[in-house]
Amino acid sequence: MPKILDSSSVSWSAIDLILHDGLKAYKPRNSKILSIQSQIHNKNKTGSIAVFRSKNAMSNASGFIITSKEALRDNALQLTHWTPNTYAFLSYDGQRKHIKGHTEANLNQINTFVADIDFKNAEDRDANLENVKDAIVIGGHILPTLILKTDKGYQVYYVLEKPAFLSKHKNGTIPVLTAARKIAENIKRSIQDKILATDVGCNNFGIFRIPREDNIIFFEPDLTCSFAGLLTWSQNYSKKTKNVKKLNLRVVSDQDRYRKQCDQAWFKIMLGKRNIVPGQGLGRHNTILTLALACYSSGKTEAETFDLLDEFNSALKVPLDFRDMQRCVRDAFSGDYKGAAKIYIDELIDTWGSYAEKRIVRQESQVKWYKYAKKRSERTYSHKHEWLQDVIDLVNRIGTGKDNVEISTRKIREELNISAASLNRVLKQAIKSNKLVIKKGKGRRPSKLATLAMALKAFFKKNKQLKDQWLKYLKQHLELENIAFTEELSVFDMIRNGLDTDVGKRRLSTE
C-alpha cells in the first residue's frame, strides 16, 4: 500500500498554500474522507492540475490529472513535477497516454509565479547559491515564498496571498492573463540581470518541480505577495528598463516589419550556431522553439520545419533530446502562437551572438534618436532614487555575510558626501518603499540597517526559537497599518512588516 503524504509535513504545507482553494477538497468518487456534510463544500471547486512521476514523463506529457487535494495528497510522494497554477479543465488524448489542455487560455486561476534558474551542473548550482539569494529579492523588496533545489539549479516560487482569477471579456481578451504574463517575464528578466543562468524562455505558467521534503531549501508561508503589488513593481520595472534601452533603441522599418522572420538576419545567425549549451539563459530548447516559431510565421510547413531543425539540432555540440526537439516543433505549430517574440529573439542574439553579429541585427532596423537627461556626473544635484541606491549599495558593500549593518547617519553622510536633510529624506523613502529595514539604536548607538536580500540570507540560517518569536509577533501585529519603531523590535520583526504584500498596508513609520 503506497504511503500517503503527511498533511502536517512542510511539503504538503507548501503545496496547500500554493493551490489555495483551486481544487476540490475531496475526491468526487471513492473518497476515503468525504462525508455528506462536506459535499456542499466540494461541489464548487472544479479546477484541475497535471502531475507527473518523472522528468521523462513530464517531457512527454505522460502524466495524470488531479482534481482534488485528497487525490494529490495520496499521490504526492510519487510525484516529481506538477502545474502549480490551476486549469479550468484538462483531458487525455484518445489513448489516454498524454494530457491535453494545459495552455494559458485554459487557466482558471494563477496561484504563483515561478522562476527557473538552471546552471551547467550541480557544482555550479551550489557555488552560486549566495548569488541566487541576492538575485531573487525582486525590486529590493519582494521576497520569495519557496525555493526548491533541482538537479542543476533552483526553482523560486513567489506565491500569491490570494489567487488571480481569469475571466474572458466580451472582446475575447483576458486582461488578468496579459498582466500576469508581463509580471512573469519581468520577474525572470530582473533575476537574469544578476544571474545569467535564469531561464527567461520557460513557460510562464507551465510545469515545474513539486515541493518535496528532499528538495525544499527555503519555505516561509508568511512571505506571500499580492497581485496588485507585483503589478505595480512590474510596471515600474518596465518603465525603468525601457528608459535604459532608449540609448540603443531601434525601430523596425516598414520593409523589415513585414519581412518573413526566416529571411531576417537573426534567424540565419542562430541557425548557424553550433555551441549552444544549457546553463546560459536561453539554451537549446528555447532556441529551437524560437526558430520553429519563425518558420511557422514564415509559412513553412511543419514537415519542412522539422527537417530543418532536426539537421540544426544534430549539428549542435550538445544536441537536445530528439523528443524534446520534436515537441518544440509541435508546440510551434499548435496555433497558440503567431511567431517568434522579439523579447526572445533579442535575448538569443545577446546570449549567443558575436559583437559583429549583434551589430548586423541592429543595423537591420532603422535608427531613431532621443534626447536624454544629463548624466549624474554632469549634474550639480542628484535625484532621491540615486541617493537611495547609493545607501543600499553601501549597506551591501559593508554588510557582506552579515544579517544587518550597524552604522551611524554621520558615517553614511561621510561615505556618500550627502547632506543631513537629504539623507533623512532618503531613509524615509527607503522605509516607505520597503528597500531597507532600519532599527534605531539606543542612546548613542548607531542604527542597524538591512536590505531584504540580507534578510533572506538570515532566514536561511535562523534558529527555531527566533522563528517562533517572529511568527508570534506577526500574529499580534499583522493587521496593523502603521507600526511605530520601538527599541524591542528585532530586525526580523521589521522585515515582515515592511514587505509589499498588500498595497498601502503594513508600512513602517518613523514616528
Side-chain angles (χ1 to χ4, degrees):
M1 185 175 180
K3 291 183 179 180
I4 298 174
L5 183 64
D6 184 354
S7 60
S8 64
S9 67
V10 174
S11 57
W12 179 254
S13 297
I15 290 169
D16 193 41
L17 179 72
I18 293 167
L19 290 175
H20 297 288
D21 292 322
L23 301 180
K24 295 176 182 178
Y26 312 106
K27 295 177 183 177
R29 299 177 182 176
N30 304 319
S31 173
K32 299 173 184 175
I33 54 178
L34 180 62
S35 63
I36 296 175
Q37 290 83 0
S38 60
Q39 284 183 10
I40 296 173
H41 302 288
N42 205 45
K43 275 185 179 179
N44 300 326
K45 308 303 177 184
T46 57
S48 302
I49 61 170
V51 296
F52 306 88
R53 290 194 173 98
S54 68
K55 187 172 183 178
N56 185 54
M58 180 270 293
S59 299
N60 293 300
S62 300
F64 57 99
I65 299 166
I66 293 282
T67 60
S68 72
K69 288 186 178 181
E70 181 187 356
L72 182 57
R73 192 166 60 247
D74 289 350
N75 291 277
L77 290 174
Q78 287 77 47
L79 303 178
T80 60
H81 295 75
W82 71 329
T83 58
N85 296 294
T86 316
Y87 295 93
F89 61 88
L90 294 171
S91 60
Y92 296 100
D93 63 6
Q95 298 178 329
R96 292 186 64 83
K97 288 186 177 180
H98 305 288
I99 296 175
K100 299 192 303 180
H102 47 298
T103 61
E104 289 185 354
N106 190 34
L107 281 167
N108 192 40
Q109 65 185 55
I110 294 172
N111 302 316
T112 183
F113 295 92
V114 186
D116 186 16
I117 304 172
D118 194 21
F119 295 99
K120 294 179 180 178
N121 50 50
E123 290 75 18
D124 234 10
R125 174 200 66 195
D126 296 340
N128 279 281
L129 179 57
E130 293 303 312
N131 296 331
V132 169
K133 292 176 187 177
D134 280 327
I136 60 180
V137 181
I138 302 299
H141 67 282
I142 300 173
L143 292 172
T145 314
L146 174 72
I147 303 173
L148 307 182
K149 182 187 285 188
T150 64
D151 295 340
K152 295 186 293 182
Y154 304 95
Q155 289 190 351
V156 187
Y157 281 69
Y158 300 88
V159 180
L160 295 177
E161 59 184 3
K162 295 178 182 177
F165 295 97
L166 279 67
S167 59
K168 187 177 290 187
H169 280 199
K170 291 181 179 179
N171 61 4
T173 62
I174 309 176
V176 170
L177 180 58
T178 302
R181 281 193 194 117
K182 194 63 180 177
I183 291 171
E185 288 175 1
N186 280 342
I187 286 175
K188 290 182 288 187
R189 292 187 73 84
S190 76
I191 297 175
Q192 194 198 40
D193 289 343
K194 297 179 180 179
I195 300 290
L196 184 62
T198 307
D199 186 356
V200 297
C202 73
N203 191 327
N204 293 327
F205 310 108
I207 303 167
F208 299 97
R209 295 275 180 172
I210 192 169
R212 295 164 54 107
E213 300 299 316
D214 58 356
N215 67 9
I216 295 175
I217 62 170
F218 174 81
F219 176 52
E220 283 291 351
D222 291 288
L223 298 183
T224 54
C225 44
S226 71
F227 190 87
L230 284 171
L231 182 59
T232 299
W233 165 80
S234 179
Q235 290 168 336
N236 291 334
Y237 179 82
S238 292
K239 290 177 184 176
K240 179 182 176 182
T241 52
K242 183 178 180 181
N243 290 337
V244 170
K245 288 179 180 178
K246 276 184 178 180
L247 288 169
N248 295 310
L249 185 62
R250 306 291 189 221
V251 177
V252 180
S253 67
D254 287 340
Q255 181 182 359
D256 284 337
R257 191 184 305 276
Y258 299 107
R259 284 177 59 197
K260 292 180 179 180
Q261 289 189 318
C262 283
D263 295 333
Q264 294 173 14
W266 71 268
F267 183 89
K268 297 173 182 177
I269 289 170
M270 291 308 303
L271 203 60
K273 294 295 176 182
R274 297 293 177 263
N275 61 337
I276 299 173
V277 294
Q280 302 280 334
L282 290 186
R284 302 161 301 172
H285 181 278
N286 292 300
T287 301
I288 292 173
L289 178 59
T290 305
L291 292 172
L293 287 167
C295 292
Y296 170 73
S297 71
S298 301
K300 288 185 179 293
T301 66
E302 187 169 347
E304 289 173 332
T305 301
F306 176 81
D307 290 341
L308 177 68
L309 296 183
D310 184 30
E311 184 178 341
F312 165 77
N313 185 53
S314 299
L316 292 176
K317 292 180 180 178
V318 185
L320 187 66
D321 181 81
F322 177 78
R323 286 175 295 185
D324 289 338
M325 187 276 296
Q326 204 173 26
R327 188 178 179 187
C328 285
V329 176
R330 188 169 64 247
D331 288 346
F333 282 78
S334 65
D336 293 335
Y337 309 94
K338 294 181 179 179
K342 188 175 185 302
I343 185 174
Y344 297 127
I345 294 172
D346 291 344
E347 195 66 41
L348 286 173
I349 292 298
D350 284 344
T351 304
W352 303 109
S354 65
Y355 175 79
E357 289 167 340
K358 292 174 187 176
R359 190 174 179 181
I360 291 171
V361 173
R362 286 199 300 268
Q363 287 176 344
E364 262 199 342
S365 303
Q366 181 182 351
V367 179
K368 189 171 182 178
W369 298 96
Y370 291 84
K371 184 179 179 181
Y372 302 98
K374 290 182 179 180
K375 294 180 180 179
R376 188 180 184 184
S377 59
E378 299 172 358
R379 288 187 266 117
T380 305
Y381 301 102
S382 295
H383 298 301
K384 192 186 337 183
H385 70 86
E386 293 171 331
W387 283 124
L388 174 56
Q389 189 57 51
D390 287 343
V391 174
I392 292 171
D393 290 343
L394 175 64
V395 172
N396 282 327
R397 177 162 53 85
I398 64 179
T400 304
K402 300 179 182 178
D403 296 348
N404 59 72
V405 170
E406 197 170 277
I407 186 171
S408 66
T409 53
R410 176 181 293 181
K411 180 67 174 176
I412 296 175
R413 294 200 308 269
E414 291 173 354
E415 288 280 342
L416 302 181
N417 193 24
I418 183 175
S419 69
S422 295
L423 180 58
N424 187 45
R425 288 195 296 270
V426 168
L427 292 180
K428 286 184 177 180
Q429 177 63 27
I431 296 168
K432 184 179 179 181
S433 61
N434 304 315
K435 294 295 179 69
L436 284 176
V437 177
I438 303 174
K439 177 186 176 184
K440 290 185 176 180
K442 291 182 180 180
R444 294 187 177 182
R445 292 199 63 179
S447 299
K448 290 182 179 180
L449 282 69
T451 65
L452 291 192
M454 294 167 67
L456 179 63
K457 294 179 181 180
F459 287 153
F460 269 84
K461 59 185 180 183
K462 67 178 183 286
N463 59 46
K464 186 179 186 301
Q465 182 181 2
L466 180 57
K467 179 176 179 179
D468 291 343
Q469 292 173 355
W470 177 65
L471 292 177
K472 181 180 179 181
Y473 179 86
L474 284 177
K475 292 177 182 177
Q476 294 173 349
H477 297 275
L478 196 60
E479 298 305 319
L480 296 180
E481 292 190 7
N482 288 292
I483 301 175
F485 278 120
T486 67
E487 300 303 335
E488 289 76 24
L489 286 182
S490 71
V491 171
F492 293 115
D493 295 330
M494 292 185 289
I495 287 165
R496 183 59 176 86
N497 297 335
L499 281 177
D500 185 19
T501 54
D502 196 1
V503 178
K505 291 186 178 181
R506 300 190 279 280
R507 300 294 191 190
L508 289 172
S509 171
T510 55
E511 301 177 355

